């Protein structure tokens, strides 16, 4: 039977998803192995049934990311954190470096919308529409929020890396990647 | 001090040690004591004078806890913050010190009179809580006594006059004059017994040839008292066999392991015996120079030890042609440490003696081949040298008949914690833990930590185990905890100690221990689940396998040992995730700030959302 696969991008740049498309024509082989459920690839907004595997891009910077991740945990057996953002927080986590402030989140917003030399914002307003999800006090990586089963490092992991890792997982084979695929220094 | 005078003082300090970079530690001590700190321009000047870079000097200043790159107060209070002190009311003591002085730990008062610091293990666990004020030890502190001490210091009473009581034994002698107690509770046959005949062993040795001395040493079965238990005779033989012009004998009196204080008592009561042992070793391996590496915390014993060395020089027990043996010259200098646990590790200790940062070296080559100044060196513990003197006085077979098969002789145990009779017990190897606990009048004991932070943590089931190298090896530290004490708090405190004391060379030790501690705290807060325990085990094994020296190899021991012996404590702290969220992730807390800034509630995580407009 085909496995069900879901994917999501939380606080990421979609680079990991783009990289996934670098598996090129192998996507034809992939659809022999899996059925896509909720994912930006097919634009399914909701889970249709329980899934076997989910690929998570990005960490959590706002409440919606948390809810989505919780939903994935509840609806999928295996969660795979893909890329540095999901694993360590990545670029967004730089805002956690504002530590020596009484109000780090406000400082972050001020910098982004008012204080920076490169911002043009004559009204000095910080976006606050009720439809905007609330930001978290800091950026959390996926493991800090829910249990994560596997991690694929890289920013982004290459298409090959993702391909080999995913196939190994689908077929239940040991995960052995040649070092050039996961060595980054 | 004005600039000109300061520069002159620094110049003189360097000259006192012949501008030798190998004596940098002593030079820095001179300056630290004279100026109250070693600031940038001084480092620069010292570097120029002794021919090293400023960074080299700064490397030492920042490595050793007793040196400071800013000017400290005239009176430096170093309060010991070990787990035993914590269990005996440390928090309250810190509070009173802070109140009376108006400064928190780590600070110096504005008038420059007082600095207040916390420090690990000052070797007074049997009389905790204790503090060092400059060189002077103040044991058994209470909130009341702290107030009195500070009041007197503020009135200008000199530190050594504040507490006029004296401890027992030689602590009362003019040269030590300290209120520290020996707390000798049980005297064994070898070291603490009164039957010792001074210099008899040395005289006997000088009638043998060195090879015979080493043979007797090997046959005695003596193993090192510093913890690792390496056969001492073999160590001496290896050093003697190594080709070299010069060889060295070093006595390790760094005693940094948490909960040990036996060397303190030996240095107070058996220093001549120890020096005799060093002299025998010198004769055996062919050495003319020895060093006693004395930890800075025991600086109050230095005048006493210097005096003993001086007396021995006067009576031809040190110096040239000792006891008329032509060609046998040997003398000893004292090297004062500067507050670094890692300097107890023998290769780090040797670095420290050479005026370097106390960083362990890669072995091989072992110190017996290339040690101090690149020459063969034996490093032995204070207790080991004391035993050596007795072995030659009484004969190796007398010695090897005491103790067990593989652990000959007696062991000095430093007992501290929850028992009536804390102090020193000299017992034959092979004594059961339970017997020791009974002697120490420890009731309701739940946890015994044998061998300090890097040793084994055992529970009641194991109290019949024996203290010897075949079973529970130890450097002599025995910390006793009753059933009210928290295992995880103990583990946490040990990890903090290792984090602070890691020399920082290897990543697994420098970083890994921090991760271990974070995970232990997660368990303590009830946020961990069973996968965290797997993580703890895996990381522990990684640190053990990949660290360069004994500190890293031992630092995960509290974690592994408590996991093995107290699994139920861990199990009772575990929780599975709530609604899929990790326990330590608190969404309400994570949203607090945002709600305040946005002045609205969460659409997702607040129960009902009414738009008030
Ligand atoms: C981190 C560390 C700290 C040590 N601290 C001491 C110490 O304070 N005193 C001591 O005698 N040995 C200490 N040792 C053991 C020494 O490296 C060495 O084995 C010992 O001094 C040898 O003497 P012995 O054979 O007489 O025991 C320590 C070892 C390590 C790894
Ligand atoms: S890991 Fe890199 S590529 Fe992937 S989402 Fe983060 S920033 Fe983008
Ligand atoms: S194990 Fe730790 S203390 Fe030992 S050399 Fe490495 S970093 Fe230094």
């Amino acid at each position: 039977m085909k496995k069900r696969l879901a994917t999501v991008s939380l606080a990421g740049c979609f680079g990991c998803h783009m990289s996934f498309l670098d598996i090129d024509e192998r996507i034809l082989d992939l659809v022999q192995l899996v059925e896509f459920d909720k994912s930006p690839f097919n634009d399914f907004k909701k889970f249709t049934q329980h899934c076997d595997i989910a690929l998570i891009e990005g960490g959590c910077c706002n409440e919606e990311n948390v809810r989505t991740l919780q939903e994935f945990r509840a609806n999928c057996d295996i969660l795979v954190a893909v890329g540095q953002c999901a694993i360590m927080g990545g670029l967004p986590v730089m805002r956690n470096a504002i530590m020596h402030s009484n109000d780090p989140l406000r400082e972050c917003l001020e910098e982004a919308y008012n204080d920076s030399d490169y911002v043009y914002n004559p009204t000095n307003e910080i976006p606050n529409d009720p439809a905007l999800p609330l930001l978290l006090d800091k950026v959390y990586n996926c493991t800090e929020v829910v249990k994560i089963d596997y991690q694929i490092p890289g920013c982004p992991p290459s298409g090959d890396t993702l391909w080999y890792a995913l196939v190994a997982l689908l077929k239940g084979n040991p995960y052995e990647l040649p070092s050039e695929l996961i060595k980054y220094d | 001090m004005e600039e000109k005078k300061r520069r002159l003082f620094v110049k003189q300090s360097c000259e006192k040690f012949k501008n030798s970079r190998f004596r940098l530690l002593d030079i820095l001590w001179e300056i630290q004591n004279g100026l109250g700190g070693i600031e940038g321009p001084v480092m620069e000047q010292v570097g120029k004078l002794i021919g090293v870079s400023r960074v080299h000097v700064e490397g030492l200043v920042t490595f050793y806890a007793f040196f400071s790159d800013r000017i400290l107060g005239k009176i430096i209070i170093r309060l010991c913050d070990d787990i035993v002190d914590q269990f005996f009311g440390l928090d309250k003591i810190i509070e009173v010190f802070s109140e009376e002085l108006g400064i928190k730990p780590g600070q110096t008062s504005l008038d420059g009179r007082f600095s207040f610091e916390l420090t690990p293990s000052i070797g007074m666990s049997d009389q905790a809580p204790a503090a060092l004020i400059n060189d002077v030890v103040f044991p058994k502190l209470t909130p009341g006594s702290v107030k009195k001490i500070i009041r007197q210091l503020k009135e200008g009473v000199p530190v050594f006059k504040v507490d006029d009581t004296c401890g027992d034994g030689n602590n009362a002698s003019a040269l030590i004059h300290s209120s520290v107690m020996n707390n000798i509770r049980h005297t064994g046959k070898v070291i603490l017994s009164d039957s010792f005949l001074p210099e008899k062993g040395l005289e006997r040795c000088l009638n043998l040839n060195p090879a015979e001395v080493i043979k007797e040493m090997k046959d005695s079965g003596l193993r090192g008292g510093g913890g690792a238990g390496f056969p001492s005779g073999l160590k001496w033989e290896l050093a003697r066999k190594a080709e070299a012009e010069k060889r060295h004998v070093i006595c390790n009196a760094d005693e940094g392991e948490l909960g040990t204080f036996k060397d303190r008592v030996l240095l107070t009561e058996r220093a001549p015996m120890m020096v005799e042992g060093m002299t025998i070793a010198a004769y055996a391996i062919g050495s003319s120079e020895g060093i006693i590496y004395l930890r800075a915390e025991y600086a109050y014993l230095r005048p006493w030890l210097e005096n003993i060395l001086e007396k021995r020089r006067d009576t031809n027990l040190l110096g040239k042609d000792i006891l008329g043996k032509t060609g046998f010259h040997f003398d000893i200098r004292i090297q004062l440490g500067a507050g670094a646990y890692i300097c107890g590790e023998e290769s780090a200790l040797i670095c420290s003696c050479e005026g370097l940062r106390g960083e362990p070296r890669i072995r091989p080559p072992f110190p017996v081949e290339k040690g101090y100044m690149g020459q063969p060196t034996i490093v032995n513990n204070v207790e080991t040298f004391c035993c050596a003197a007795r072995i030659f006085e009484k004969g190796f077979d007398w010695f090897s008949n005491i103790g067990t098969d593989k652990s000959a002789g007696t062991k000095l145990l430093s007992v501290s914690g929850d028992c009536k009779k804390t102090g020193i017990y000299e017992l034959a190897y092979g004594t059961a833990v339970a017997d020791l606990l009974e002697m120490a009048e420890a009731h309701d004991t739940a946890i015994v930590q044998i061998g300090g932070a890097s040793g084994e943590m055992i529970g009641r089931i194991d109290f019949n185990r024996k203290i010897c190298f075949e079973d529970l090896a130890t450097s002599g530290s025995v910390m006793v905890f009753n059933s009210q004490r928290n295992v995880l708090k103990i583990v946490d405190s040990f990890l903090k100690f290792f984090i602070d004391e890691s020399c920082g060379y290897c990543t697994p030790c420098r970083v890994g221990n921090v991760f271990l501690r974070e995970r232990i705290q997660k368990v303590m807060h009830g946020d961990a689940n069973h996968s965290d325990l797997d993580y703890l085990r895996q990381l522990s094994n990684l640190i053990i396998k990949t660290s360069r020296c004994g500190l890293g190899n031992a630092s995960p021991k509290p974690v592994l040992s408590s996991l093995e012996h107290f699994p139920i404590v861990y199990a009772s702290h575990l929780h599975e995730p709530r609604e899929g969220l990790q326990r330590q992730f608190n969404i309400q807390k994570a949203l607090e700030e945002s709600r305040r800034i946005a002045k609205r509630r969460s659409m997702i995580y607040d129960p009902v959302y009414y738009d008030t407009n």
Side-chain angles (χ1 to χ4, degrees):
Chain A
M1 220 182 74
K2 283 190 187 175
K3 303 268 188 205
R4 293 196 81 78
L5 178 69
T7 77
V8 69
S9 172
L10 305 172
C13 74
F14 261 98
C16 289
H17 272 77
M18 298 307 286
S19 184
F20 191 88
L21 294 177
D22 286 343
I23 66 172
D24 298 332
E25 75 285 357
R26 283 172 290 189
I27 197 143
L28 298 175
D29 300 329
L30 186 63
V31 291
Q32 301 299 318
L33 294 170
V34 302
E35 195 78 56
F36 275 90
D37 205 289
K38 179 177 160 99
S39 164
F41 290 131
N42 52 14
D43 211 18
F44 282 14
K45 306 282 194 226
K46 291 204 170 102
F47 280 105
T48 62
Q49 4 171 335
H50 194 82
C51 294
D52 299 290
I53 298 172
L55 305 181
I56 317 282
E57 168 192 319
C60 296
C61 73
N62 64 31
E63 55 178 344
E64 198 205 354
N65 297 149
V66 175
R67 185 187 50 187
T68 312
L69 190 54
Q70 236 178 326
E71 195 191 350
F72 268 71
R73 184 69 272 179
N75 284 290
C76 311
D77 287 343
I78 292 172
L79 297 192
V80 185
V82 176
Q84 278 319 298
C85 293
I87 296 173
M88 312 278 283
L91 213 59
V93 91
M94 285 178 73
R95 87 155 144 108
N96 294 8
I98 311 173
M99 283 179 295
H100 306 291
S101 159
N102 294 330
D103 207 344
L105 184 57
R106 187 185 296 277
E107 202 169 310
C108 172
L109 291 168
E110 291 292 344
E111 178 68 22
Y113 291 102
N114 285 323
D115 295 348
S116 164
D117 292 342
Y118 306 97
V119 169
Y120 177 71
N121 181 4
T123 62
N124 285 338
E125 241 176 290
I126 292 173
N128 188 13
D129 191 279
L132 290 173
L134 291 177
L135 293 180
L136 304 179
D137 57 341
K138 56 175 194 165
V139 174
Y140 294 83
N141 65 48
C142 291
T143 341
E144 286 177 299
V145 178
V146 301
K147 177 169 181 275
I148 294 292
D149 301 285
Y150 297 100
Q151 301 180 332
I152 307 178
C155 179
S158 68
D160 284 343
T161 310
L162 288 167
W163 169 253
Y164 290 125
L166 190 57
V167 170
L169 187 57
L170 286 167
K171 297 197 168 164
N173 291 338
Y175 180 48
E176 268 175 41
L177 288 176
S179 76
E180 60 269 23
L181 285 186
I182 42 167
K183 190 164 173 286
Y184 294 100
D185 55 354
Chain B
M1 208 183 282
E2 63 184 86
E3 161 119 18
K4 225 167 129 192
K5 256 167 114 189
R6 195 192 65 204
R7 290 188 73 84
L8 182 68
F9 176 76
V10 172
K11 187 160 168 274
Q12 286 167 344
S13 302
C14 292
E15 272 164 8
K16 192 163 167 192
F17 296 95
K18 303 201 175 86
N19 289 332
S20 163
R21 63 196 176 103
F22 300 113
R23 301 300 294 276
L24 183 51
L25 206 63
D26 302 278
I27 294 172
L28 292 179
W29 259 123
E30 200 75 17
I31 298 173
Q32 175 72 44
N33 287 337
L35 303 181
I38 306 159
E39 293 179 304
V42 175
M43 298 183 203
E44 181 106 31
Q45 192 193 349
V46 172
K48 284 221 177 84
L49 286 169
I50 64 171
V52 299
S53 65
R54 175 197 148 141
V55 172
H56 181 95
V57 181
E58 187 162 2
L60 264 84
V61 174
T62 50
F63 182 87
Y64 292 101
F66 278 56
F67 296 148
S68 165
D69 55 6
R70 60 193 165 87
I71 303 295
L72 294 179
K74 295 256 172 318
I75 297 175
I76 305 169
I77 298 163
R78 292 189 168 92
L79 178 62
C80 177
D81 66 350
D82 287 355
I83 187 72
V84 172
D85 302 75
Q86 287 176 33
F87 285 155
F88 284 84
L90 180 70
D91 285 348
K92 185 72 201 163
I93 301 287
I94 295 181
E95 205 184 297
V96 178
F97 266 119
S98 296
E99 247 167 47
E100 295 292 312
L101 296 168
I103 47 175
K104 292 209 181 74
Q107 295 180 335
T108 298
S109 63
L110 285 178
D111 59 3
R113 280 185 76 192
F114 294 97
S115 287
F116 178 31
E117 301 190 343
L118 298 179
T119 183
S121 174
I122 60 169
M124 301 288 156
S125 306
D126 54 335
Q127 31 214 315
L132 279 174
I133 302 186
N134 292 350
D135 281 358
V136 184
V137 185
F138 288 81
K140 282 209 174 282
L141 294 172
T142 61
S145 72
V146 171
K147 277 188 195 154
K148 250 201 234 146
I149 293 167
I150 300 298
R151 201 164 314 137
Q152 293 191 59
L153 289 174
K154 280 190 173 164
E155 280 164 13
V157 181
V159 180
F160 65 92
K161 281 207 176 137
V162 168
D163 185 355
D164 229 18
T165 59
C166 275
D168 53 347
N170 292 333
N171 287 307
S173 74
L175 285 168
I176 301 183
H177 190 79
S178 165
S179 54
V180 172
M181 294 292 290
N182 284 330
N183 286 333
I184 297 174
R185 306 288 187 181
H186 191 274
T187 50
K189 276 194 220 165
V190 180
I191 297 177
L192 294 176
S193 117
D194 291 331
S195 65
F196 174 57
L197 302 172
E199 322 317 335
K200 196 172 154 225
L202 178 59
E203 279 161 16
R204 239 197 78 221
C205 277
L206 297 181
N207 288 323
L208 302 171
N209 67 39
E212 287 166 337
V213 173
I214 286 177
K215 171 136 196 334
E216 283 202 19
M217 197 60 183
K218 282 172 83 177
D219 290 342
S220 72
L222 174 65
R223 296 172 69 163
F230 191 82
S232 310
L234 179 59
K235 187 183 278 186
W236 294 14
E237 184 175 45
L238 291 170
R240 174 160 193 89
K241 277 190 181 152
E243 281 299 326
E245 258 174 49
K246 259 183 161 182
R247 299 184 185 78
H248 303 269
V249 173
I250 298 184
C251 175
N252 188 343
D254 194 50
E255 185 154 71
E257 189 56 81
L258 297 183
T260 48
F261 44 85
K262 60 166 181 90
D263 294 346
R264 174 196 90 210
V265 175
L266 289 178
L267 293 167
T268 311
E269 298 299 332
R270 289 292 180 271
M273 190 194 242
M274 169 189 92
V275 179
E276 186 182 336
M278 288 178 74
T279 316
I280 293 173
Y283 178 70
I285 71 165
S287 158
S288 58
E289 283 175 20
I291 298 176
I292 298 172
Y293 189 88
L294 184 69
R295 68 188 309 225
E297 290 82 349
Y298 294 167
Y300 75 101
L301 293 171
R302 186 171 185 165
W304 170 252
L305 294 172
E306 294 283 14
N307 181 256
I308 285 170
L309 295 179
E310 203 46 52
K311 272 201 273 182
R312 291 180 79 87
R313 284 181 198 115
D314 293 345
T315 48
N316 193 224
L317 291 163
L318 283 178
K320 294 221 171 332
D321 300 322
I322 292 174
L323 291 179
K325 182 89 183 172
T326 20
F328 176 40
H329 316 313
F330 182 60
D331 209 333
I332 295 174
R333 77 170 166 99
I334 294 178
Q335 174 70 57
L336 194 62
Y341 166 66
I342 190 62
C343 287
E345 196 278 339
E346 54 185 9
S347 63
L349 182 147
I350 288 170
C351 283
S352 189
C353 290
E354 291 171 354
L356 299 169
R357 285 160 65 96
E359 283 167 348
R361 289 179 176 156
I362 293 175
R363 306 181 303 170
F366 291 93
V368 286
E369 303 153 42
K370 274 192 167 33
Y372 182 60
M373 297 297 185
Q375 290 154 344
T377 303
I378 57 161
V379 179
N380 276 128
N381 179 253
V382 176
E383 189 179 350
T384 314
F385 283 122
C386 288
C387 289
R390 281 292 266 180
I391 287 168
F392 288 97
E393 179 206 337
K394 304 279 282 183
F396 65 90
D397 41 354
W398 169 81
F399 185 83
S400 65
N401 277 328
I402 306 170
T404 68
D405 253 9
K406 294 206 170 82
S407 321
T410 58
K411 178 75 201 147
L412 258 62
L413 300 169
S414 316
V415 179
S416 61
D418 295 312
C419 57
K420 262 210 186 120
K421 302 214 157 140
T422 55
I424 296 292
Y425 294 78
E426 183 187 1
L427 300 172
Y429 274 113
T431 306
V433 177
D435 295 337
L436 174 62
L437 291 176
E438 197 171 312
M439 275 188 255
E441 297 184 21
H443 309 298
D444 186 32
T445 307
I447 310 159
V448 177
Q449 179 76 25
I450 304 251
S454 45
E456 191 97 30
M457 179 187 275
I458 59 170
R460 285 190 183 129
I461 299 184
D462 289 307
F463 286 177
N464 56 356
R465 286 177 65 182
K466 297 189 164 41
I467 298 173
C468 55
F469 292 106
E470 297 93 312
D471 192 357
L472 289 168
T474 174
S475 53
S477 160
V478 179
M479 288 183 253
V480 180
F481 301 106
N482 68 26
S483 58
Q484 304 302 307
R485 307 302 189 193
N486 182 338
V487 170
L488 294 170
K489 199 169 163 197
I490 300 172
V491 175
D492 179 65
S493 143
F494 290 165
L495 287 174
K496 175 178 183 296
F497 171 70
F498 286 126
I499 291 169
D500 291 345
E501 296 299 325
S502 161
C503 84
Y505 188 89
C506 334
T507 312
C509 169
R510 184 184 64 243
V511 180
N513 287 318
V514 176
F515 287 167
L516 279 184
R517 183 164 186 228
E518 275 176 12
R519 218 37 87 102
I520 286 289
Q521 293 190 336
K522 191 175 167 192
V523 177
M524 286 168 86
H525 294 145
D527 291 333
N529 58 50
H530 64 272
S531 67
D532 290 295
L533 302 191
D534 295 338
Y535 174 91
L536 280 171
R537 284 195 192 92
Q538 275 171 11
L539 182 59
S540 292
N541 289 324
L542 179 88
I543 296 172
I544 291 173
K545 260 194 223 138
T546 51
S547 290
R548 181 157 80 166
C549 86
L551 190 149
N553 301 143
S555 58
K557 272 292 271 297
V559 175
L560 292 178
S561 186
S562 57
L563 272 169
E564 184 186 340
H565 297 287
F566 299 90
I568 295 175
V569 173
Y570 281 88
S572 68
H573 280 78
L574 300 187
H575 296 282
E576 290 309 310
R578 279 178 292 219
E579 292 171 30
L581 290 182
Q582 301 279 28
R583 297 279 304 196
Q584 90 264 38
F585 177 74
N586 183 337
I587 182 69
Q588 295 303 337
K589 221 176 114 220
L591 286 174
E592 243 163 55
E593 200 177 342
S594 205
R595 283 192 195 107
R596 193 156 40 74
I597 295 173
K599 298 197 175 64
R600 59 191 166 96
R601 305 164 77 177
S602 160
M603 296 265 234
I604 304 172
Y605 288 102
D606 285 325
V608 208
Y609 183 83
Y610 298 108
D611 197 340
T612 42
N613 291 331

